[in-house]
Amino acid sequence: MSVQTIKRTCSSLLLVSIFVPLLTGCWDRLEIEERAVVLAIAIDVATPQGEQEEPEVAHVKDSIPEPEGIGYQLTAQIAVPGRIPLGPSN
């Protein structure tokens, strides 16, 4: 192989390796309707009754040991995406 053929092959491979990641598309896209807009967050000290009423949202009950000390309660206010005003109100 000549030197010019090797240079042309290397430049072609370099060009392809640069553009292949750009051609993958939106494989991890998230529609705007599926997103949540957090308007406010509150952190409070949890009451003993509130600690007992913890919902099984992110884990199976009794799969995580009870923490020692003070518990905290996190509350988030989330906007409904279809109800957010996008333009000037009349």
Side-chain angles (χ1 to χ4, degrees):
M1 289 174 84
S2 68
V3 175
Q4 188 171 359
T5 307
I6 292 174
K7 285 183 179 181
R8 184 177 293 152
T9 304
C10 287
S11 64
S12 297
L13 286 174
L14 180 65
L15 189 65
V16 167
S17 66
I18 289 173
F19 283 110
V20 165
L22 298 175
L23 299 174
T24 57
C26 297
W27 59 272
D28 66 344
R29 67 166 175 75
L30 186 60
E31 294 291 332
I32 190 72
E33 291 85 16
E34 296 172 358
R35 293 180 183 221
V37 178
V38 178
L39 300 175
I41 294 178
I43 301 173
D44 298 315
V45 176
T47 62
Q49 180 185 8
E51 290 179 4
Q52 298 300 325
E53 295 176 357
E54 179 183 349
E56 297 178 38
V57 176
H59 62 278
V60 178
K61 197 159 188 78
D62 298 329
S63 65
I64 299 175
E66 288 289 326
E68 295 179 15
I70 299 173
Y72 296 96
Q73 180 180 5
L74 177 78
T75 306
Q77 182 181 10
I78 299 175
V80 179
R83 305 245 177 145
I84 298 174
L86 299 176
S89 60
N90 294 331

